[in-house]
Amino acid sequence: MGIIKRPALTEKSQAMQEKGKYVFVVELTANKIEIAKEVKKMYGVDVQDVQTMRQIGKVKSKSTRTKVTSGRTSTIKKAIVTVAAGEVIDFYQGI
């Protein structure tokens, strides 16, 4: 898929879709211009605005019988894409 890894389908992102905002998980190195071009190419919609955020990975640990193992979850980048009024992205098309 390139820059866009997958749509983030959570309860909060589903509520934002009613306002014309869609959430995607994107590559860490992607910028707003690249994200807007990729969404326009993939879904054929007019992109008005792109907001990005980085979600830093958490430190997690678990106890086993012999020791405590710790590690870190992955850092991800999310993009909130606002499309033009009246346009809709259908994630469930072709299922």
Side-chain angles (χ1 to χ4, degrees):
M1 284 178 101
I3 293 172
I4 297 176
K5 293 182 179 179
R6 67 186 190 290
L9 299 175
T10 61
E11 288 182 31
K12 193 171 185 178
S13 68
Q14 294 288 335
M16 292 173 69
Q17 288 180 9
E18 296 171 4
K19 299 175 186 174
K21 295 183 178 190
Y22 298 88
V23 182
F24 297 94
V25 177
V26 297
E27 291 288 330
L28 287 173
T29 57
N31 62 32
K32 293 180 181 186
I33 297 168
E34 294 171 339
I35 294 167
K37 286 180 183 177
E38 187 77 15
V39 169
K40 184 174 176 102
K41 185 175 86 172
M42 287 178 65
Y43 298 104
V45 295
D46 185 31
V47 177
Q48 287 187 336
D49 187 32
V50 178
Q51 297 171 325
T52 59
M53 66 185 87
R54 290 172 55 118
Q55 182 176 334
I56 306 300
K58 298 179 182 179
V59 176
K60 298 229 175 179
S61 60
K62 67 177 181 177
S63 298
T64 61
R65 290 185 183 196
T66 56
K67 61 182 178 178
V68 175
T69 304
S70 63
R72 181 175 281 276
T73 60
S74 300
T75 299
I76 62 171
K77 187 173 190 176
K78 294 181 185 178
I80 300 173
V81 178
T82 305
V83 297
E87 295 193 6
V88 177
I89 296 176
D90 186 17
F91 294 125
Y92 303 108
Q93 179 182 7
I95 292 180

